Amino acid sequence: MGELIRQRGQTAEEFSEEAERFARQHGINATLSVRHVQRLSSGRRADGSPLGPLRPSTRRLLEALFERSVDELLSPAHEPVRHEANHEEAAEELRARLARARSLDDTSLALLRQRLEITRTLDRQFGASFLLPELRIQISHLEALLRDLFNSRKRRQLSRILVDALTLAAWQSLDQGDIREAWDHYNRARAVSRDAEDRSLESFAQASQAVVLLDTGDIDLATEMTASACHLAATRTPPLLASWLAAAHGEALAKKGETDSSIRTFDRAESLLPDKRNQAETPFIVYDRSHLIRWRISALSYQSQHVSLDLLSSTRAGMDRTFQRAYVSISINLAQAYHDDGYYQDAQRESEEARKGAARLGSVRLLTSAQKLDLRVRRELPLRRGRRVGSAGAATCP
């Protein structure tokens, strides 16, 4: 096994990362730490004692990765290594990799960007469930190109595409309920942006990563991360990104319970929003005034702040229906508002529609929220007989 890993040109750390990604992608419930890789490669424990039996899940993972039996993988490499032949093969492979990287031109970069944009468009309309595996492959190709690319201008351009792909994959992973993979993707995005010395990219990746913390309940750290991202991008930041970062911080403040600060921060986000978007500056952000309004509405709902049913209804009516996740999310907000205002049948109708929409998208994240609200409304509806259980109607909206 150790010899096979060396032939792949991988370190123990790189192989460990690949193995864990492979396990997640193929539904194998196994992990492979760096120390475990080192032990398996040497055939001995750290104290020199023999290896014990492997867990069945680890056995399945290794056999799937190498397409060989574990007995063969853990056996000694008896054949002498032909250093001369291996050296020539490695040299030829390296020359091919460098030539492939050198062939990357502006047209190729544009096509890579276009492929990612197509993935993003399909994702917002159909959900992440069938797109995430393909996006992982795109990321692997981009990372391989970046490793062997030395032209500084092309590296910056490719880094922007890679960070965009990683943050999109992170968002898709979070949508599918895989918090660990989402966090790992965001970490890789931040590392790439730091290597590219691009503060705009790094601040975007960092503020995006805070969403994972908001979902897991680590609100203080999420607030700290978004504030740090705003500070990181304080100078020479495209206006659209500055507005987006302020909105991300406003959301964290709302979840923390600092409502007044959240409102002021959203006001700042609105004041920073440019009248016209420069696509070349921030291709990795899909964001405009309508997105900001929805973001603000959602943030207000965290602290049970009253949101007008008229505002919610008009916002949803004016939405681009290709943004299916956003549509379901605003439906959840609307169901909550109907519930809070005493219109329990309307709340039940909206929560049921939100649940069905989340299921169609395959969004684990939205489905969980919709199901909780739907269950709550269904339980409370029989207890509200004699109260405002009917339809709100346009004339009765607050």
Side-chain angles (χ1 to χ4, degrees), residues 1-11 15 18 37 40-41 62-63 65-77 81 86 93:
M1 177 175 161
E3 181 60 30
L4 290 173
I5 292 173
R6 282 190 290 273
Q7 288 176 13
R8 288 170 172 235
Q10 290 179 312
T11 64
F15 179 75
E18 180 192 347
V37 171
L40 292 171
S41 298
L62 292 175
E63 290 182 340
L65 264 169
F66 289 104
E67 297 182 346
R68 303 189 188 203
S69 71
V70 162
D71 291 340
E72 182 182 356
L73 291 172
L74 299 186
S75 64
V81 179
N86 285 349
E93 180 188 353

Side-chain angles (χ1 to χ4, degrees), residues 265-279:
T265 306
F266 273 109
D267 287 343
R268 173 170 168 75
E270 187 170 0
S271 70
L272 290 169
L273 193 64
D275 293 330
K276 188 176 181 180
R277 175 184 179 180
N278 185 339
Q279 178 72 24

Side-chain angles (χ1 to χ4, degrees), residues 19-33:
E20 299 212 349
R21 281 199 300 271
F22 186 92
R24 289 194 295 270
Q25 292 166 9
H26 292 81
I28 302 174
N29 185 23
T31 59
L32 208 58
S33 69

Side-chain angles (χ1 to χ4, degrees), residues 9 111 157 226 245 261 282 301 310 331 362:
L111 287 171
Q157 291 179 281
T226 52
L245 290 170
S261 295
T282 52
S301 70
D310 277 342
S331 294

